Amino acid sequence: MAYAIDLDTCVGCGLCENMCMAKAIKYNDEEHETNVRVGSIILSPGTQGFDPTGYDIWGYGRFPNVVTSEGFERILSAGGPYFGHVMRPLDREEPKRIAWLQCVGSRDTHRCGNDYCSSVCCMYAVKEAMIAKEHIHGDIDTVIFYMDMRTVGKDYEKYFLRARDKDGVRFVKSRVHSIDEIPETGDLTVTYADESGNIIEEIFSMVVLSVGLTIPDTAIELANRLDIDLNKNNFVKTGPFTPVATSRPGIYTCGVFQGPKDIPGSVIEASAAACLAGADLSEARGKDTKVIELPKQKDITGEEPRIGVFVCNCGINIGGIIDVTSVQDYSAKLPNVVFTDQNLFTCSQDTQEKIKEKIKEHNLNRVVVASCSPKTHEPMFMETLEACGLNRYLFEMANIRNQDSWIHSKTPDLATQKAKDLVRMSVARAAALNPLKEKIINVIQRALVIGGGIAGMNSALSLAHQGFDVVILEKDRELGGFSRKLIHTIEGGDVQAYIKELIGKISAHHRINILKEANVTAFGGYKGNFTTDVIVGPDKEKHIIKHGVIIVATGANEYQPHEYLYGDDDRVMTQVELADRLENKGASDLKNIVMIQCVGSRNDENQECSRICCQSAIKNALDVKESNPDAQVFILYRDIRTYGLLEGFYTEARRKGVIFIQYKQDNPPDVQADSQGLFVTVRDHVLERDIRIQTDLLALSTGFVAADTEKLSRIMKLNRNPEGYFLEAHVKLRPVDMPGDGIFLCGTAHGPKLISEAISQAQAAASRATTFLANSEIKLSAITAKVDIEHCVKCLTCVRSCPFEVPVFNLTEKVIEIDEAMCHGCGVCAGVCPRQAIQLSFYEDDQIACKIDALLAGGM
């Protein structure tokens, strides 16, 4: 007997081939070739880690205790070979000392030929070292051997400083010579040269190779089939002003296939590619859309609570500290609980399906998930309830990770007891929950873009291409922002020509309205229905703009230095001023030029790296060498941070004779001017002596500082970080969304970045805004405040206290009114009302009090 396959219904998934024990099924490419008509294509085939096998210097594959960073991630994982316990592969012993070797497979033209920086390795090494210290509760020494620490993302430098200064991770700037195994113990001897050239040996229990990112052969084959141009390292060729567009119109790329980058950069580029693809398809929008039909909502009126409790291990984030089985058993004994379960990762797709099954099987009418933060996962769990016909507000979450296992990692018994308390409180609250109805509103299909620089103009143009009206507000008399001062990108792109072309496009577009010399004076409304008051021009003409979304693109400014004689000596200038000087006068009259990095960045006043300064210095250094090959250029640096494909320009600068001299933060260069000339003194770490350079010109690599947006942030209630940059909703998962719904962020208003990165983020913000504007109506949250008019004494405490100015006193009706559509659900008014006449839906007094009662009642 044999089975037959119906080729007409077979979809070619390959599942049968993979599962067939006899290997009797083979996939036929010709038979199952499928033609799909599409209007656009996005290439995101991903990446793979560099394989260090066969390179004797690292010992990978020869010494069991040498692992790659990918392998170490598996060791740290609860689903890994050691269930999240950090062990050596050789003997399953807990390591006492772990070394990380950076730039394995990156920045290496001699061994592997990869002359780019993989951008992610420094940060993931720091992360792994810190997690290793958390997992091993005893004394463990973690050491990272590096060439340059490239922590260039938003808040990344702070993370590095925390690891170094607070968590005790040791960083050694060095060149590793070799790794040898001690056969008797399996320990590893790392031989390296330090900054002074001294040869040093250290013994470690394990060595982790921080492998770089490479493009898989399958991705290269795909590009070849589609006739897409790749560069010499097999990344897609893109331009500085078209960062996600390939060499073929209508085909876009994102993620590491575009170039080495981290998760936020990949997410941003994915949205940017979706934006451009969406513009191509805008005329056909909605024609082939399949709408998911949710089941009719179940009426639970009169039903007794039937609560299901799902406890998450969250890998070892929770399960490595808390006794999850004990918490599950305890939950089963709580009132109204009819089903309990535990999961490795409750947020995974397969667990969501399992929860749906259990809701139906046990007729659950309320659900409690004990896991991580509701900030990131609550909406997903609520959607799971809706898919089963339950009201989304019959859900409660106990945060036993952030509020428990992470802060009580040293006391597992205490953490387990606290988890039981938190679950008991959540179960009590779940029983008190009631279904809530969400209000449906119409969407004003117009966008407001605040800022007319490169990011603002690109986001506006992207939205207009998708068929939406846009209003641009620019505070200056001209569009272009800070980029008006720039000459060209490091790749050679003409910035001024690009700005001129961009301004021409948006000025000519019938869907874009530009208001110059414009300032926001008032703001109100809610997602889909905002109202912004603006004064425009010298006459202060008032405009009232109604719009459905906002994109904040207010830009940033160049740091104005007070160091190194800037402002006192005309020979001292910033890199931006030097670029202008080179454009107009060249460098033929210059013999010596010194550049000082990290001016205004990575110091006590501004801990962050400004990201763009190293490439700016190298760009100008190359321009000097192009204009005058005999000129001597000295770059005084702390770390050279030419991440990604910028590394090639760093290599080119060294080949052309640019001299790089490292200095320490606590011993910066000294600049003096006298009748003999301008002199820079710096301590050379190799010669171990001070060297004095006479220079014709001193260029300061100044970073970015946030634009003055204090007034705007106050009017529009937008949050900023300590450096003054606007905050995103989630650094990795929602890098262009702001915490308020319908408000998005792009460009240097978010943080320092290159023009290409600002363009990607602008297109990403437009893409996210389109998800609102493409709908004629949307649902608002049911978590809003309501006034009990009968008990309200009209004291106006709520009116004075609301940070969003939502409660108002109706002079005609003589009552306090709260517009549910405008209410943000923050609960301030409910908290301050002396008569308790205001209730916040989903957080009503009895729903809070029952949690307190459950806590004070103690355990069972």
Side-chain angles (χ1 to χ4, degrees):
M1 185 179 73
Y3 285 96
I5 298 176
D6 185 346
L7 297 181
D8 291 330
T9 58
C10 175
V11 296
C13 67
L15 183 63
C16 56
E17 178 184 3
N18 292 331
M19 297 185 67
C20 180
M21 298 176 64
K23 304 297 181 185
I25 301 175
K26 296 295 181 184
Y27 185 78
N28 189 322
D29 288 329
E30 295 181 3
E31 289 290 335
H32 292 86
E33 187 176 276
T34 303
N35 292 318
V36 181
R37 293 185 64 209
V38 297
S40 187
I41 298 173
I42 297 174
L43 304 179
S44 54
T47 182
Q48 65 184 20
F50 172 77
D51 183 3
T53 304
Y55 294 87
D56 290 342
I57 179 177
W58 297 309
Y60 181 74
R62 293 191 297 130
F63 308 142
N65 291 330
V66 176
V67 300
T68 65
S69 47
E70 294 172 317
F72 195 73
E73 289 282 345
R74 295 300 303 146
I75 290 174
L76 292 174
S77 172
Y82 314 134
F83 306 100
H85 299 288
V86 180
M87 299 179 182
R88 304 196 321 168
L90 177 65
D91 50 20
R92 307 299 193 268
E93 291 292 325
E94 200 171 74
K96 301 299 182 185
R97 303 190 77 215
I98 305 177
W100 277 260
L101 273 56
Q102 299 307 104
C103 302
V104 175
S106 302
R107 303 183 66 188
D108 187 346
T109 57
H110 302 294
R111 280 182 288 264
C112 63
N114 295 337
D115 62 354
Y116 55 87
C117 166
S118 288
S119 299
V120 300
C121 316
C122 287
M123 277 303 295
Y124 75 57
V126 176
K127 179 203 70 173
E128 288 181 353
M130 293 176 71
I131 294 176
K133 281 182 168 288
E134 293 174 0
H135 283 213
I136 300 177
H137 300 307
D139 185 25
I140 178 174
D141 187 18
T142 54
V143 184
I144 296 177
F145 294 93
Y146 72 99
M147 291 193 288
D148 298 280
M149 284 307 298
R150 292 183 169 174
T151 48
V152 297
K154 189 175 183 179
D155 290 336
Y156 286 8
E157 185 76 4
K158 293 179 182 177
Y159 192 77
F160 160 62
L161 293 175
R162 172 188 158 191
R164 187 191 69 184
D165 301 336
K166 294 183 179 179
D167 290 5
V169 178
R170 187 158 65 94
F171 293 85
V172 180
K173 188 175 178 68
S174 58
R175 287 280 190 166
V176 173
H177 174 270
S178 59
I179 300 172
D180 297 295
E181 185 182 57
I182 302 173
E184 296 78 12
T185 62
D187 288 343
L188 301 157
T189 302
V190 176
T191 305
Y192 64 93
D194 68 7
E195 293 180 86
S196 300
N198 301 313
I199 303 300
I200 300 173
E201 291 184 353
E202 291 194 45
I203 297 175
F204 293 91
S205 311
M206 285 180 68
V207 170
V208 180
L209 305 179
S210 294
V211 294
L213 306 178
T214 63
I215 299 301
D217 292 339
T218 52
I220 300 171
E221 293 168 6
L222 174 64
N224 291 335
R225 287 201 302 271
L226 295 175
D227 196 23
I228 300 297
D229 292 343
L230 304 178
N231 65 21
K232 65 177 183 178
N233 291 306
N234 293 317
F235 299 104
V236 174
K237 272 188 180 180
T238 60
F241 307 130
T242 54
V244 297
T246 71
S247 55
R248 287 192 65 181
I251 301 182
Y252 307 98
T253 187
C254 60
V256 177
F257 201 27
Q258 191 271 350
K261 60 182 59 65
D262 58 7
I263 291 173
S266 296
V267 172
I268 288 168
E269 280 189 351
S271 290
C275 176
L276 298 186
D280 293 343
L281 308 176
S282 60
E283 292 184 6
R285 180 181 290 120
K287 291 183 179 179
D288 294 328
T289 302
K290 295 181 180 179
V291 179
I292 298 175
E293 296 290 340
L294 293 175
K296 183 180 178 181
Q297 192 172 117
K298 180 181 177 182
D299 184 3
I300 66 166
T301 304
E303 290 187 8
E304 289 296 317
R306 293 181 60 80
I307 302 173
V309 178
F310 299 85
V311 187
C312 184
N313 282 270
C314 195
I316 64 167
N317 280 292
I318 295 172
I321 307 297
I322 293 171
D323 185 343
V324 172
T325 301
S326 177
V327 174
Q328 180 192 353
D329 293 342
Y330 174 78
S331 303
K333 302 174 185 177
L334 295 172
N336 301 309
V337 174
V338 298
F339 177 78
T340 64
D341 195 9
Q342 64 168 291
N343 318 101
L344 183 60
F345 293 103
T346 309
C347 59
S348 65
Q349 185 60 43
D350 58 334
T351 303
Q352 297 305 298
E353 296 302 320
K354 184 178 180 182
I355 291 175
K356 293 176 186 177
E357 293 174 5
K358 298 306 177 184
I359 289 175
K360 296 173 182 176
E361 180 183 343
H362 296 276
N363 194 27
L364 304 179
N365 57 23
R366 288 164 180 82
V367 171
V368 173
V369 171
S371 59
C372 56
S373 169
K375 180 179 179 181
T376 53
H377 289 90
E378 185 179 64
M380 178 186 65
F381 291 122
M382 285 181 161
E383 289 172 3
T384 300
L385 265 66
E386 286 183 311
C388 298
L390 286 178
N391 186 280
R392 65 187 287 120
Y393 295 98
L394 296 173
F395 174 76
E396 169 66 353
M397 207 162 175
N399 189 345
I400 62 172
R401 186 189 71 178
N402 305 49
Q403 296 176 0
D404 191 1
S405 63
W406 277 1
I407 57 176
H408 300 299
S409 59
K410 308 295 184 185
T411 52
D413 292 341
L414 176 64
T416 299
Q417 183 56 51
K418 183 175 179 179
K420 293 177 180 179
D421 292 339
L422 291 169
V423 171
R424 183 175 69 253
M425 295 163 66
S426 292
V427 167
R429 172 170 146 76
L433 295 176
N434 298 303
L436 299 175
K437 187 175 181 180
E438 295 176 321
K439 184 176 181 178
I440 297 176
I441 61 163
N442 294 325
V443 175
I444 300 171
Q445 293 179 313
R446 181 185 300 113
L448 177 68
V449 176
I450 305 176
I454 281 182
M457 289 191 287
N458 268 283
S459 61
L461 191 61
S462 297
L463 285 168
H465 284 333
Q466 301 219 38
F468 301 112
D469 293 334
V470 186
V471 178
I472 299 179
L473 304 183
E474 170 53 49
K475 69 180 189 317
D476 294 334
R477 285 191 245 179
E478 294 181 74
L479 295 169
F482 179 73
S483 296
R484 293 199 306 267
K485 300 179 180 180
L486 305 181
I487 307 300
H488 64 82
T489 69
I490 196 168
E491 300 89 354
D494 188 331
V495 177
Q496 295 309 305
Y498 173 70
I499 291 175
K500 183 178 180 180
E501 179 186 4
L502 189 58
I503 291 174
K505 287 180 178 179
I506 68 167
S507 299
H509 205 293
H510 68 283
R511 288 196 175 275
I512 299 176
N513 182 20
I514 304 167
L515 300 178
K516 300 177 184 177
E517 296 183 86
N519 289 284
V520 174
T521 58
F523 172 76
Y526 44 90
K527 64 179 180 181
N529 283 260
F530 294 111
T531 301
T532 302
D533 292 358
V534 181
I535 54 172
V536 179
D539 297 331
K540 308 296 183 185
E541 180 182 349
K542 186 174 181 180
H543 291 247
I544 298 176
I545 304 168
K546 294 186 179 298
H547 50 101
V549 297
I550 305 161
I551 295 179
V552 179
T554 50
N557 299 318
E558 183 184 25
Y559 169 75
Q560 292 301 302
H562 52 79
E563 306 94 326
Y564 304 119
L565 303 182
Y566 182 83
D568 298 327
D569 193 308
D570 292 340
R571 293 168 293 185
V572 181
M573 59 187 66
T574 67
Q575 292 288 1
V576 173
E577 292 164 345
L578 173 59
D580 186 65
R581 196 252 195 217
L582 294 174
E583 178 71 10
N584 292 304
K585 295 177 62 176
S588 59
D589 60 327
L590 302 174
K591 293 182 179 179
N592 289 335
I593 299 174
V594 175
M595 302 179 180
I596 301 178
Q597 301 304 105
C598 300
V599 178
S601 303
R602 301 183 68 195
N603 55 30
D604 293 338
E605 291 75 30
N606 176 23
Q607 290 185 333
E608 289 289 72
C609 168
S610 285
R611 193 178 180 96
I612 52 93
C613 317
C614 287
Q615 67 86 36
S616 179
I618 289 172
K619 172 177 69 70
N620 284 340
L622 289 171
D623 286 349
V624 170
K625 284 292 188 178
E626 182 70 24
S627 173
N628 182 4
D630 295 328
Q632 288 289 325
V633 182
F634 301 85
I635 297 181
L636 314 184
Y637 72 100
R638 290 172 56 194
D639 293 282
I640 291 296
R641 294 184 165 182
T642 45
Y643 57 93
L645 302 181
L646 296 173
E647 179 70 12
F649 297 101
Y650 177 32
T651 302
E652 183 184 355
R654 297 199 308 274
R655 285 174 178 163
K656 289 191 173 182
V658 176
I659 299 171
F660 292 83
I661 302 174
Q662 188 190 26
Y663 72 89
K664 299 294 185 182
Q665 182 181 6
D666 57 3
N667 189 18
D670 178 65
V671 179
Q672 300 291 334
D674 57 30
S675 58
Q676 307 263 319
L678 187 64
F679 296 89
V680 180
T681 302
V682 62
R683 186 162 188 83
D684 186 284
H685 68 281
V686 177
L687 300 175
E688 295 188 344
R689 56 171 290 181
D690 289 345
I691 58 174
R692 192 168 185 248
I693 307 168
Q694 184 173 3
T695 183
D696 301 314
L697 186 149
L698 174 61
L700 306 181
S701 294
T702 54
F704 273 129
V705 292
D708 183 7
T709 55
E710 183 178 356
K711 183 179 179 181
L712 178 69
S713 66
R714 186 175 65 253
I715 293 172
M716 303 188 76
K717 308 294 190 298
L718 304 175
N719 295 328
R720 302 181 302 165
N721 69 7
E723 288 75 35
Y725 295 105
F726 288 106
L727 287 173
E728 62 275 61
H730 190 285
V731 64
K732 292 185 182 295
L733 306 181
R734 299 175 65 197
V736 299
D737 293 59
M738 295 189 76
D741 287 341
I743 306 176
F744 307 96
L745 176 64
C746 64
T748 52
H750 167 265
K753 51 183 57 69
L754 300 172
I755 287 177
S756 58
E757 295 165 338
I759 293 171
S760 291
Q761 199 174 31
Q763 293 166 342
S767 181
R768 295 291 299 128
T770 300
T771 62
F772 279 84
L773 298 179
N775 299 298
S776 59
E777 57 184 30
I778 56 175
K779 287 183 179 180
L780 296 178
S781 172
I783 304 175
T784 57
K786 295 178 175 60
V787 183
D788 182 353
I789 297 175
E790 296 297 323
H791 292 86
C792 176
V793 295
K794 307 169 186 61
C795 64
L796 305 185
T797 302
C798 58
V799 176
R800 293 190 294 268
S801 301
C802 178
F804 303 100
E805 301 176 355
V806 175
V808 295
F809 184 67
N810 187 320
L811 293 173
T812 304
E813 301 292 333
K814 307 297 183 186
V815 295
I816 296 292
E817 293 180 344
I818 294 178
D819 187 334
E820 292 183 23
M822 296 180 64
C823 179
H824 288 242
C826 67
V828 169
C829 58
V832 300
C833 179
R835 292 282 300 224
Q836 297 181 331
I838 301 178
Q839 292 289 324
L840 182 67
S841 300
F842 199 57
Y843 295 100
E844 296 180 7
D845 289 352
D846 64 322
Q847 294 168 348
I848 301 298
C850 68
K851 294 187 75 171
I852 299 172
D853 292 340
L855 173 63
L856 298 178
M860 294 170 54

